[in-house]
Amino acid sequence: MAGVASMLWLGLTAAVAANQRRLVFNPTVEREVAHPRSNGHRTRPVVLRAKDGTRLSGWLMTPRMPGSRPAVIYFGGRSEEVSWVVRDAGKLFPGMAVLAVNYRGYGDSHGDPAEAHMVDDACMLFDWMTARHHVDPRRIAVVGRSLGSGVAVQVAKERPVHSVVLITPYDSILALAKRKFRVMPIEYMLRHRFESIKYAPTLKAPTFVLRAASDDIVPHSHTDQLVAKLAQLIGDETVPDSDHLTIPYLEDTQARIARFLTSQFAGPIEAPSLASAAPIPVPAPDIVVAAAATPAVAALPVAPVLPLIK
């Protein structure tokens, strides 16, 4: 019996090691909103090139009033296609320019998702936004939901981000994986760790945390660990009658985010500081198109095991 148990354990360990990309990521190709448009912005589909040439597709929304405006870059969750952000941008980000781009393998974006790619691509998006004539480069915020909170934290570490909003954030994917796979040496197997707790003490930007009232994906104890390390925590709020999946769509959540960002952007502008003083590179070349020009890519298969995060 011991031999059988050992073989089962080895087999399960090998399966987790081989399928960890599917555990961490679950790319959604189909648009959540068929024809996304913001009532409060001018909306343009965009196709951008990552550093390695991979095509990334999303939407740029600009306020209708003239002049240089504050801006927001949104990073979605594990199974999230971001077209819904366009629909709700008027309530979420009033008077702000907004960039929402799907990760590699999501929506119409090409390539395969990986932590390193997500962070590199996200930094490229920040650099691209700083070069827009209608954007105030000193007032660019990042908003990350669930998996995307780990992306937002790492961008805030690498770039002069003005403000940070984290929706149902975690301490690290590694910590969540250890909780789910208690008997496995997960720390030796997991490549996509998203260890936000390591970077939290270095963040200089004001940070706002939103939790779901009921969250069985990211337990509050894992958010507690992150919150305790955030250097510039401005608010830590729980949205009533919300869960991990519904929280971003609720009017209450959207009103809280809009109030926080409006308040932060209205304050005096200070010279942004970074944990590292590396200069911002020249933004990558971009293509702005009038309609989505990239064909849909095939969805990656979903592993027959429980996901680490949504």
Side-chain angles (χ1 to χ4, degrees), residues 2 7 38 72 99 101 129 144-145 155 166 186 197 250 256 260 263 272 276 293 295-296 300 308:
M7 289 297 291
S38 170
V72 177
L99 182 63
V101 174
M129 281 295 272
R145 173 197 175 194
V155 175
L166 304 177
I186 200 73
I197 196 167
L250 300 178
R256 290 170 190 255
F260 171 76
S263 173
S276 61
L300 298 182
L308 296 179

mmCIF file of all heavy atoms in Angstrom, residues 2 7 38 72 99 101 129 144-145 155 166 186 197 250 256 260 263 272 276 293 295-296 300 308:
data_model
loop_
_atom_site.group_PDB
_atom_site.id
_atom_site.type_symbol
_atom_site.label_atom_id
_atom_site.label_comp_id
_atom_site.label_asym_id
_atom_site.label_seq_id
_atom_site.Cartn_x
_atom_site.Cartn_y
_atom_site.Cartn_z
ATOM 1 N N ALA A 2 1.963 1.200 0.772
ATOM 2 C CA ALA A 2 2.853 2.352 0.827
ATOM 3 C C ALA A 2 3.419 2.654 -0.549
ATOM 4 O O ALA A 2 3.573 3.815 -0.940
ATOM 5 C CB ALA A 2 3.977 2.100 1.833
ATOM 6 N N MET A 7 3.520 6.043 -5.393
ATOM 7 C CA MET A 7 3.384 6.216 -6.836
ATOM 8 C C MET A 7 2.310 7.262 -7.167
ATOM 9 O O MET A 7 2.487 8.080 -8.075
ATOM 10 C CB MET A 7 3.029 4.885 -7.481
ATOM 11 C CG MET A 7 4.174 3.867 -7.495
ATOM 12 S SD MET A 7 5.578 4.435 -8.488
ATOM 13 C CE MET A 7 4.851 4.363 -10.129
ATOM 14 N N SER A 38 -17.300 52.799 -24.349
ATOM 15 C CA SER A 38 -17.546 53.559 -23.133
ATOM 16 C C SER A 38 -18.410 54.774 -23.435
ATOM 17 O O SER A 38 -18.098 55.558 -24.342
ATOM 18 C CB SER A 38 -16.210 54.016 -22.523
ATOM 19 O OG SER A 38 -16.440 54.948 -21.475
ATOM 20 N N VAL A 72 -5.341 55.551 -16.302
ATOM 21 C CA VAL A 72 -5.408 54.293 -15.561
ATOM 22 C C VAL A 72 -5.085 53.157 -16.521
ATOM 23 O O VAL A 72 -5.541 53.147 -17.668
ATOM 24 C CB VAL A 72 -6.818 54.066 -14.974
ATOM 25 C CG1 VAL A 72 -6.901 52.711 -14.270
ATOM 26 C CG2 VAL A 72 -7.198 55.190 -14.020
ATOM 27 N N LEU A 99 -6.514 52.450 -20.327
ATOM 28 C CA LEU A 99 -5.970 51.432 -21.222
ATOM 29 C C LEU A 99 -6.268 50.064 -20.619
ATOM 30 O O LEU A 99 -5.883 49.779 -19.481
ATOM 31 C CB LEU A 99 -4.467 51.606 -21.403
ATOM 32 C CG LEU A 99 -3.773 50.633 -22.364
ATOM 33 C CD1 LEU A 99 -4.297 50.796 -23.792
ATOM 34 C CD2 LEU A 99 -2.253 50.828 -22.334
ATOM 35 N N VAL A 101 -5.816 46.133 -21.861
ATOM 36 C CA VAL A 101 -5.261 45.252 -22.889
ATOM 37 C C VAL A 101 -5.277 43.824 -22.362
ATOM 38 O O VAL A 101 -4.890 43.568 -21.205
ATOM 39 C CB VAL A 101 -3.824 45.678 -23.257
ATOM 40 C CG1 VAL A 101 -3.186 44.678 -24.216
ATOM 41 C CG2 VAL A 101 -3.827 47.073 -23.865
ATOM 42 N N MET A 129 1.711 54.560 -22.449
ATOM 43 C CA MET A 129 0.758 55.576 -21.991
ATOM 44 C C MET A 129 1.451 56.895 -21.666
ATOM 45 O O MET A 129 0.900 57.975 -21.892
ATOM 46 C CB MET A 129 -0.012 55.075 -20.769
ATOM 47 C CG MET A 129 -1.134 54.118 -21.098
ATOM 48 S SD MET A 129 -2.483 54.873 -22.055
ATOM 49 C CE MET A 129 -3.521 55.518 -20.751
ATOM 50 N N GLY A 144 -5.322 46.465 -10.506
ATOM 51 C CA GLY A 144 -5.185 45.035 -10.748
ATOM 52 C C GLY A 144 -6.199 44.250 -9.966
ATOM 53 O O GLY A 144 -6.401 44.484 -8.771
ATOM 54 N N ARG A 145 -6.850 43.320 -10.656
ATOM 55 C CA ARG A 145 -7.837 42.463 -10.001
ATOM 56 C C ARG A 145 -7.285 41.051 -9.865
ATOM 57 O O ARG A 145 -6.804 40.467 -10.840
ATOM 58 C CB ARG A 145 -9.125 42.436 -10.818
ATOM 59 C CG ARG A 145 -10.145 41.442 -10.284
ATOM 60 C CD ARG A 145 -11.213 41.142 -11.304
ATOM 61 N NE ARG A 145 -12.128 40.095 -10.842
ATOM 62 C CZ ARG A 145 -12.985 39.444 -11.614
ATOM 63 N NH1 ARG A 145 -13.050 39.720 -12.906
ATOM 64 N NH2 ARG A 145 -13.758 38.500 -11.109
ATOM 65 N N VAL A 155 4.484 46.329 -11.557
ATOM 66 C CA VAL A 155 4.628 47.553 -12.357
ATOM 67 C C VAL A 155 4.913 48.741 -11.440
ATOM 68 O O VAL A 155 5.772 49.582 -11.739
ATOM 69 C CB VAL A 155 3.360 47.813 -13.188
ATOM 70 C CG1 VAL A 155 3.463 49.151 -13.924
ATOM 71 C CG2 VAL A 155 3.142 46.699 -14.198
ATOM 72 N N LEU A 166 -5.850 47.629 -5.758
ATOM 73 C CA LEU A 166 -5.742 46.175 -5.780
ATOM 74 C C LEU A 166 -7.074 45.573 -5.353
ATOM 75 O O LEU A 166 -7.547 45.815 -4.236
ATOM 76 C CB LEU A 166 -4.629 45.711 -4.832
ATOM 77 C CG LEU A 166 -3.236 46.317 -5.074
ATOM 78 C CD1 LEU A 166 -2.253 45.836 -4.017
ATOM 79 C CD2 LEU A 166 -2.735 45.984 -6.468
ATOM 80 N N ILE A 186 5.734 22.270 -3.449
ATOM 81 C CA ILE A 186 5.300 23.204 -4.484
ATOM 82 C C ILE A 186 6.316 24.314 -4.714
ATOM 83 O O ILE A 186 6.446 24.847 -5.811
ATOM 84 C CB ILE A 186 3.910 23.780 -4.122
ATOM 85 C CG1 ILE A 186 3.218 24.347 -5.372
ATOM 86 C CG2 ILE A 186 4.007 24.796 -3.011
ATOM 87 C CD1 ILE A 186 2.713 23.311 -6.311
ATOM 88 N N ILE A 197 4.024 40.041 -1.921
ATOM 89 C CA ILE A 197 4.450 40.376 -0.563
ATOM 90 C C ILE A 197 5.922 40.777 -0.505
ATOM 91 O O ILE A 197 6.328 41.565 0.354
ATOM 92 C CB ILE A 197 4.155 39.197 0.390
ATOM 93 C CG1 ILE A 197 4.232 39.664 1.851
ATOM 94 C CG2 ILE A 197 5.091 38.006 0.108
ATOM 95 C CD1 ILE A 197 3.661 38.669 2.826
ATOM 96 N N LEU A 250 -19.878 45.293 -9.418
ATOM 97 C CA LEU A 250 -20.863 45.918 -8.537
ATOM 98 C C LEU A 250 -20.722 47.436 -8.555
ATOM 99 O O LEU A 250 -19.610 47.978 -8.581
ATOM 100 C CB LEU A 250 -20.691 45.397 -7.110
ATOM 101 C CG LEU A 250 -20.858 43.883 -6.920
ATOM 102 C CD1 LEU A 250 -20.619 43.508 -5.467
ATOM 103 C CD2 LEU A 250 -22.236 43.433 -7.375
ATOM 104 N N ARG A 256 -16.400 53.104 -5.303
ATOM 105 C CA ARG A 256 -15.253 53.229 -4.387
ATOM 106 C C ARG A 256 -13.964 53.485 -5.162
ATOM 107 O O ARG A 256 -13.129 54.310 -4.753
ATOM 108 C CB ARG A 256 -15.113 51.960 -3.541
ATOM 109 C CG ARG A 256 -16.217 51.763 -2.506
ATOM 110 C CD ARG A 256 -16.138 50.374 -1.893
ATOM 111 N NE ARG A 256 -17.302 50.058 -1.087
ATOM 112 C CZ ARG A 256 -17.322 50.043 0.260
ATOM 113 N NH1 ARG A 256 -16.221 50.330 0.934
ATOM 114 N NH2 ARG A 256 -18.424 49.736 0.912
ATOM 115 N N PHE A 260 -11.696 56.964 -4.960
ATOM 116 C CA PHE A 260 -10.282 56.930 -4.567
ATOM 117 C C PHE A 260 -9.403 57.579 -5.625
ATOM 118 O O PHE A 260 -8.567 58.443 -5.317
ATOM 119 C CB PHE A 260 -9.835 55.492 -4.319
ATOM 120 C CG PHE A 260 -8.345 55.359 -4.129
ATOM 121 C CD1 PHE A 260 -7.751 55.742 -2.931
ATOM 122 C CD2 PHE A 260 -7.538 54.863 -5.141
ATOM 123 C CE1 PHE A 260 -6.378 55.647 -2.754
ATOM 124 C CE2 PHE A 260 -6.168 54.759 -4.978
ATOM 125 C CZ PHE A 260 -5.579 55.145 -3.770
ATOM 126 N N SER A 263 -9.926 61.358 -6.003
ATOM 127 C CA SER A 263 -9.309 62.059 -4.872
ATOM 128 C C SER A 263 -7.792 62.113 -5.010
ATOM 129 O O SER A 263 -7.170 63.158 -4.787
ATOM 130 C CB SER A 263 -9.696 61.365 -3.565
ATOM 131 O OG SER A 263 -8.987 61.916 -2.465
ATOM 132 N N PRO A 272 7.413 61.581 -8.776
ATOM 133 C CA PRO A 272 7.289 60.171 -8.404
ATOM 134 C C PRO A 272 8.631 59.573 -8.065
ATOM 135 O O PRO A 272 9.666 59.963 -8.597
ATOM 136 C CB PRO A 272 6.699 59.523 -9.670
ATOM 137 C CG PRO A 272 7.096 60.431 -10.778
ATOM 138 C CD PRO A 272 7.138 61.813 -10.195
ATOM 139 N N SER A 276 13.655 51.343 -7.460
ATOM 140 C CA SER A 276 14.882 51.358 -8.242
ATOM 141 C C SER A 276 14.855 52.581 -9.135
ATOM 142 O O SER A 276 13.809 53.011 -9.592
ATOM 143 C CB SER A 276 14.982 50.094 -9.103
ATOM 144 O OG SER A 276 13.904 50.028 -10.001
ATOM 145 N N ALA A 293 -8.336 43.959 -35.259
ATOM 146 C CA ALA A 293 -7.805 43.421 -36.497
ATOM 147 C C ALA A 293 -7.163 42.073 -36.323
ATOM 148 O O ALA A 293 -6.715 41.477 -37.279
ATOM 149 C CB ALA A 293 -6.767 44.394 -37.067
ATOM 150 N N PRO A 295 -7.151 38.075 -35.443
ATOM 151 C CA PRO A 295 -8.061 36.937 -35.338
ATOM 152 C C PRO A 295 -8.008 36.331 -33.961
ATOM 153 O O PRO A 295 -6.991 36.380 -33.283
ATOM 154 C CB PRO A 295 -7.516 35.958 -36.388
ATOM 155 C CG PRO A 295 -6.082 36.326 -36.543
ATOM 156 C CD PRO A 295 -6.005 37.801 -36.328
ATOM 157 N N ALA A 296 -9.113 35.743 -33.547
ATOM 158 C CA ALA A 296 -9.142 35.081 -32.244
ATOM 159 C C ALA A 296 -8.198 33.891 -32.247
ATOM 160 O O ALA A 296 -8.051 33.194 -33.236
ATOM 161 C CB ALA A 296 -10.569 34.608 -31.933
ATOM 162 N N LEU A 300 -6.508 27.960 -24.563
ATOM 163 C CA LEU A 300 -5.668 26.913 -24.017
ATOM 164 C C LEU A 300 -6.535 25.932 -23.243
ATOM 165 O O LEU A 300 -7.531 26.307 -22.634
ATOM 166 C CB LEU A 300 -4.618 27.515 -23.075
ATOM 167 C CG LEU A 300 -3.626 28.492 -23.720
ATOM 168 C CD1 LEU A 300 -2.632 28.957 -22.685
ATOM 169 C CD2 LEU A 300 -2.906 27.832 -24.882
ATOM 170 N N LEU A 308 -5.684 27.783 -9.068
ATOM 171 C CA LEU A 308 -5.109 28.447 -7.902
ATOM 172 C C LEU A 308 -5.821 29.745 -7.596
ATOM 173 O O LEU A 308 -5.889 30.181 -6.459
ATOM 174 C CB LEU A 308 -3.622 28.728 -8.155
ATOM 175 C CG LEU A 308 -2.733 27.501 -8.338
ATOM 176 C CD1 LEU A 308 -1.311 27.925 -8.598
ATOM 177 C CD2 LEU A 308 -2.792 26.596 -7.107
#
